[in-house]
Amino acid sequence: MSATVGMLQSYAEKTRWKPMSASHDVTKKALQDSSWADGLRGIAAVYVMFSHLTMAFARYIVRPADGENGPQQWMQKPILRLVGQGTAWVACFIILSGFVNSLKPVKLARQGNVDTALSNLAVSAFRRTFRLFLPATTATVISWFICQLGAYETARQSDAYWLYVTSPGRSYSWGTAVEDLIRAIRNTWLFNPDNAYDQPQWALLYLLEGSFVCFSALLATINLTPRFRVMTMIICWFWSWNWGIRIGDPMVSVDIFVGILLAELNHSEWPLRLAPFSVFFAPPMTIAALTLMSFPSEFHTWAPWCNFLLKWFNRVSPENAELSRFWPTIGAQILCLTIVLSPHMRRALSHKYLLWLGKISFPIYLLHGSFMRSLLSWMLFSGQKLTEMEERSGDQTYIIMRYPLPGYTAFFLSMPIFFGCLFFTAHVWATKLEPQFGIITKKAEDLMFGKKDRPPALPVKQQDSGRPD
């Protein structure tokens, strides 16, 4: 009888529900998963597209109010106005670039596999150049070709600001067009980048720059212990506020060093230790971050909350800091920090639909401008008549013929078709073209790294062994 009771007690002990243990395991699993970065990247790409739609059709959102101390419309309020804050979401891109590029090297370094980490850095640096250049060039060629066919002419004559300032005209001849194409591809990767056929590509040079800042920083610190590597990155973060501004770096290095620090934090025990308290600090930190990201690029004194941040900027900002990027950059850094420390936010951003959005985020970024200047413009302005409109340039006023902006009905009826075509094309790009870019990159890697046997460019003299045949 006692043996039976003992067996029952043992079985009850083994099968007893242990909520704390189960919750701990779920939290630990969530904190080991870094797929949230794909979800946030997808959201950032969509918001960059929204910012260009805002600049084209709802420019009032760019202002924080309808006048100095004037009334605020709903979409001008903090957080809601993030649809017009492309700068803040580009900052998220750069932080995520530093985070993702650092994850594996930092993990290997913490495990003591320094040689493997160095090899990984060399390969990643090589691949990064190809994986940015090949898709960007392909998107430029596509945009250039449809431009020469006249696909952007409707957008050029519209009254939608972002559309007509980013829509180039057709070249005078195909010979001139080829020269314009080469110039656009070259200008994408020069200082103050300006791609006439795909304006959003201005950020790619800074993403590439940020990647090499990340690789260089890790290369210099990979042998340090995690504690001293973190200390070094914090010093570099403070330092980069100064030299980054002086070399024309729009806060790229500042974001990259935060990305590296977040990778270190991700591999430490702190996220797991702080996870039980994340339900208390994550919501206010997220709200604060999104509010800072909402800081406008102009008209800073028009709303009380902007004026408040302007005064604090004058107190805490480094010398010559760029006001329009300062608070959005700080907000993006706080947002990413909050996500790393919050298992709930990580799980939310790892939803399958957000992961799919992250998978197609780069094609969305590259293609949305061309779709806006062609398909969306055709749907919105077809059938309209050119109307006389006044425009000012300095002190001069002149008349120009443009298509007037459509009403809300036409706009909202066109949006599902626009989004459907864009997302479908981005999905095809990600599943069909991206693998081809990967194959080209791999072949270049094998060739340049000497991974394939091939005849030497010049004959190699064999050393004499000293033994007779």
Side-chain angles (χ1 to χ4, degrees), residues 91 94-95 98 237 250-260 329 333:
I94 298 173
I95 296 168
W237 181 80
M251 301 194 180
V252 173
S253 302
V254 173
D255 288 331
I256 287 295
F257 290 126
V258 168
I260 299 174
T329 296
Q333 294 173 0

Side-chain angles (χ1 to χ4, degrees), residues 123-146:
V123 173
S124 298
F126 178 85
R127 291 174 180 171
R128 185 63 170 167
T129 304
F130 279 80
R131 298 313 292 269
L132 283 175
F133 178 79
L134 293 175
T137 302
T138 303
T140 300
V141 171
I142 293 172
S143 179
W144 164 83
F145 182 72
I146 64 175

Side-chain angles (χ1 to χ4, degrees), residues 46 52 70 72 80 84 108 118 121 143 171 176 178 201 238 273 289 300-301 324 329 332 338 391 421 427 435 455 466:
V46 171
H52 294 151
Q72 277 187 311
L80 294 178
L108 291 170
L118 290 172
L121 283 171
S143 179
S171 303
T176 306
V178 173
Q201 289 196 28
F238 280 107
R273 291 181 181 179
H300 311 115
T301 60
S324 62
T329 296
T338 307
E391 290 195 3
C421 292
H427 178 75

Side-chain angles (χ1 to χ4, degrees), residues 71-334:
Q72 277 187 311
Q73 301 189 44
W74 272 102
M75 295 303 296
Q76 293 174 327
K77 294 181 181 295
I79 301 179
L80 294 178
R81 66 187 317 278
L82 282 170
V83 293
Q85 290 294 106
T87 302
W89 298 107
V90 170
C92 287
F93 273 129
I94 298 173
I95 296 168
L96 291 175
S97 175
F99 175 76
V100 173
N101 287 327
S102 304
L103 271 178
K104 190 172 182 180
V106 165
K107 181 179 181 181
L108 291 170
R110 283 173 169 260
Q111 293 172 345
N113 298 324
V114 175
D115 291 339
T116 307
L118 290 172
S119 176
N120 179 267
L121 283 171
V123 173
S124 298
F126 178 85
R127 291 174 180 171
R128 185 63 170 167
T129 304
F130 279 80
R131 298 313 292 269
L132 283 175
F133 178 79
L134 293 175
T137 302
T138 303
T140 300
V141 171
I142 293 172
S143 179
W144 164 83
F145 182 72
I146 64 175
C147 173
Q148 302 309 319
L149 297 179
Y152 295 162
E153 293 305 305
T154 301
R156 286 184 68 225
Q157 299 180 74
S158 72
D159 193 37
Y161 174 76
W162 192 85
L163 293 183
Y164 71 73
V165 298
T166 63
S167 298
R170 286 179 286 187
S171 303
Y172 294 110
S173 66
W174 280 102
T176 306
V178 173
E179 295 178 2
D180 293 339
L181 172 63
I182 295 172
R183 187 180 301 109
I185 295 173
R186 182 197 65 183
N187 289 349
T188 303
W189 308 102
L190 297 179
F191 184 70
N192 287 331
D194 179 24
N195 185 329
Y197 296 102
D198 196 9
Q199 184 271 343
Q201 289 196 28
W202 71 267
L204 298 187
L205 172 65
Y206 299 111
L207 284 172
L208 182 62
E209 174 198 331
S211 297
F212 280 94
V213 169
C214 175
F215 297 140
S216 301
L218 289 174
L219 180 64
T221 60
I222 202 72
N223 280 301
L224 301 182
T225 63
R227 176 179 298 177
F228 285 101
R229 188 164 51 247
V230 168
M231 290 172 59
T232 303
M233 293 304 167
I234 292 175
I235 293 172
C236 288
W237 181 80
F238 280 107
W239 191 25
S240 62
W241 283 103
N242 177 267
W243 59 259
I245 295 168
R246 297 184 185 279
I247 65 172
D249 170 6
M251 301 194 180
V252 173
S253 302
V254 173
D255 288 331
I256 287 295
F257 290 126
V258 168
I260 299 174
L261 288 169
L262 292 178
E264 292 281 1
L265 181 62
N266 185 77
H267 290 304
S268 71
E269 295 181 355
W270 283 104
L272 188 60
R273 291 181 181 179
L274 296 175
F277 310 101
S278 64
V279 292
F280 301 106
F281 65 73
M285 285 182 66
T286 302
I287 293 173
L290 295 177
T291 301
L292 294 178
M293 291 170 65
S294 303
F295 189 78
S297 57
E298 52 187 349
F299 309 113
H300 311 115
T301 60
W302 283 20
W305 68 276
C306 299
N307 211 4
F308 174 80
L309 291 176
L310 176 60
K311 292 178 181 178
W312 272 98
F313 169 81
N314 294 328
R315 293 180 183 177
V316 303
S317 67
E319 184 181 1
N320 298 323
E322 188 176 351
L323 174 59
S324 62
R325 295 183 184 275
F326 180 80
W327 288 121
T329 296
I330 296 294
Q333 294 173 0
I334 295 174

